[in-house]
Amino acid sequence: MTRSSRHYVLAAGGTGGHLLPAFALATELDRRGHHVALITDERGAEIPGKPDFMPAHVIPAGRFGKNPLQWIKGIRAVLEGRRMALRLYESFEPSAVIGFGGYPSAPAVLASTSADIPTILHEQNAVLGRVNRLLAGRVQAIATAYPDVERLADKQSDKVHLVGNPVRAGVLSLREEPFPEFTEDGLLRVLVTGGSQGARVLSEVVPDGLAMLPPALRQRLQVTQQCRAEDLEAVRERYRNHEIPAELATYFEDMATRLADAHLFIGRAGASTIAELTAVGRPAILVPLPIATDDHQASNTREMAKSGGARMIRQERFTAKELAKQIKALAENPQGLNRAAHAAWNCGRPKAVEDLADLVESFGGADMMDVIRVGGNNARGATQGAPAGQGAAKEAAE
């Protein structure tokens, strides 16, 4: 099909959770011959990974805390951001605006809806974010990463499309690779990360939890763990005392390679983390960030945990003893870990960026895509079986 070149504006808050899916969509739209611009804040303009072809327009974005006295300043910033977005739309003439959540997306979406520009929201988490909740009634479509999204009003259900959460190409390329061989006497490779800033609770609990495993498991461990800089030496000393080989760093450039080699992941439950684990098919023990807005990280674990691909441990129950118990349940039997990998893989939505781009292109072009509408057929690839080595033949999506 020949596509005509169109213009699209992506608006996202200044965190990787909002911006990385936006970058993935921008790359796909550019590949299809369209022109893309980004609206974000000063912090978002500095996030690594922005495609070179996509100009970034920084606008003010008001924040609304608990102090009502700060709301006036926040409202003024939103109004100024809206005015700046409208000026951009006058010159750029977008066919649609896509909001990815976060405060900077609010002025951009308010501007697009007031200017009668078709507008789509993408929600990365299993709980509709605050900004997206505010804007949901004004837009034409809401793209979700999970089949069940909390805080989404019933009256909005007819505009919901299940597409998934786009992941990095380097990770997605691993989807058809088999799960690393795990045998009764082979290495058990464990990958531990706590998000971009690390997580102190993982540094405190994981080494001692691994040390409590039965000797037959403990002696086969090979650990890769991301730590905060201030925790690095203390964690290294813990592993040394437990005689567990561990590679530690504050940041791993080759995270996709580390994930490809891992038999088990231990870490937080951010939307991008879940999307990558399910794209590749890696079992996980997930410890949701307790201060996450609306407890959305706990909700993010629901689908993966229900399938058997992950175990979720609340941080208040995340002790060395509980961690060892959950690892033992997953890994003491090689087939148990393989089954969990297969279950995680089946939760993946590898066509997320293509499905989201198809939805975006349906504005100002082809008819609205019903193929990915929730309540009809779900996103393509969401129920595919595992590749060779993960224990099941491919299933036909119904």
Side-chain angles (χ1 to χ4, degrees):
M1 182 182 71
T2 301
R3 294 183 175 95
S4 60
S5 178
R6 294 193 290 276
H7 291 189
Y8 295 103
V9 170
L10 313 186
T15 65
H18 297 303
L19 280 162
L20 293 181
F23 294 164
L25 176 61
T27 300
E28 177 64 17
L29 292 174
D30 177 75
R31 187 187 69 81
R32 298 184 182 195
H34 303 304
H35 302 281
V36 189
L38 174 70
I39 287 179
T40 187
D41 58 9
E42 291 182 358
R43 182 174 57 158
E46 300 300 322
I47 294 286
K50 184 183 76 65
D52 292 337
F53 60 78
M54 181 171 61
H57 300 267
V58 174
I59 66 172
R63 295 181 178 271
F64 299 88
K66 296 181 179 180
N67 184 357
L69 296 177
Q70 296 178 341
W71 294 358
I72 296 176
K73 183 178 179 180
I75 291 171
R76 286 175 176 167
V78 169
L79 292 176
E80 176 58 23
R82 179 179 174 274
R83 283 192 291 269
M84 293 174 66
L86 283 170
R87 289 197 294 270
L88 172 63
Y89 301 159
E90 287 176 2
S91 60
F92 194 65
E93 297 183 347
S95 295
V97 172
I98 303 90
F100 285 84
Y103 287 108
S105 70
V109 171
L110 290 172
S112 63
T113 56
S114 67
D116 292 326
I117 299 170
T119 306
I120 305 164
L121 299 179
H122 182 268
E123 178 55 59
Q124 299 88 49
N125 293 296
V127 181
L128 198 65
R130 291 179 180 176
V131 170
N132 281 351
R133 287 204 298 272
L134 173 69
L135 302 169
R138 304 171 64 100
V139 303
Q140 282 68 48
I142 302 170
T144 65
Y146 296 91
D148 298 310
V149 178
E150 300 171 29
R151 301 294 187 93
L152 182 63
D154 291 341
K155 62 184 178 181
Q156 312 295 352
S157 61
D158 62 341
K159 63 175 77 172
V160 173
H161 301 255
L162 175 61
V163 300
N165 199 15
V167 301
R168 294 172 291 169
V171 171
L172 192 58
S173 67
L174 302 172
R175 182 166 175 82
E176 300 305 322
E177 298 295 325
F179 183 64
E181 184 179 12
F182 178 64
T183 62
E184 291 184 356
D185 57 358
L187 288 174
L188 172 59
R189 291 189 290 271
V190 179
L191 175 63
V192 187
T193 75
S196 60
Q197 299 301 315
R200 176 157 292 162
V201 68
L202 298 176
S203 296
E204 294 171 347
V205 172
V206 173
D208 294 344
L210 294 174
M212 295 178 70
L213 290 172
L217 270 180
R218 187 178 66 246
Q219 293 168 7
R220 295 154 52 200
L221 286 170
Q222 187 176 78
V223 181
T224 300
Q225 183 164 347
Q226 175 208 20
C227 308
R228 294 182 179 186
E230 60 268 30
D231 299 332
L232 202 58
E233 289 308 315
V235 177
R236 184 172 283 119
E237 183 66 19
R238 286 190 185 208
Y239 279 118
R240 187 182 297 118
N241 291 338
H242 293 316
E243 298 182 342
I244 296 174
E247 181 181 1
L248 310 179
T250 57
Y251 179 75
F252 291 105
E253 297 248 354
D254 56 342
M255 188 58 76
T257 302
R258 308 281 177 165
L259 187 59
D261 291 339
H263 295 109
L264 178 65
F265 172 88
I266 303 172
R268 293 301 195 193
S272 294
T273 295
I274 300 287
E276 293 192 351
L277 290 171
T278 56
V280 179
R282 292 297 179 268
I285 293 175
L286 300 169
V287 186
L289 179 68
I291 60 172
T293 305
D294 297 319
D295 199 25
H296 68 258
Q297 285 204 4
S299 297
N300 288 350
T301 70
R302 183 172 52 230
E303 182 183 26
M304 196 176 174
K306 185 178 179 180
S307 77
R311 306 288 179 103
M312 189 267 276
I313 307 176
R314 290 281 188 176
Q315 185 160 311
E316 61 268 21
R317 295 192 303 106
F318 186 58
T319 63
K321 182 178 180 179
E322 181 63 21
L323 176 61
K325 173 185 173 183
Q326 296 298 339
I327 295 175
K328 184 173 179 287
L330 276 171
E332 196 164 43
N333 181 343
Q335 287 309 308
L337 203 59
N338 288 329
R339 284 193 295 269
H342 174 52
W345 195 94
N346 268 341
C347 292
R349 296 184 173 87
K351 298 295 185 180
V353 71
E354 291 94 334
D355 285 340
L356 182 56
D358 287 346
L359 177 62
V360 168
E361 282 191 324
S362 70
F363 291 93
D367 292 337
M368 178 70 70
M369 280 189 62
D370 285 325
V371 68
I372 57 174
R373 186 182 295 279
V374 170
N377 296 323
N378 284 346
R380 297 186 305 245
T383 56
Q384 291 176 345
Q390 289 201 357
K394 291 189 177 182
E395 301 168 346
E398 306 236 0

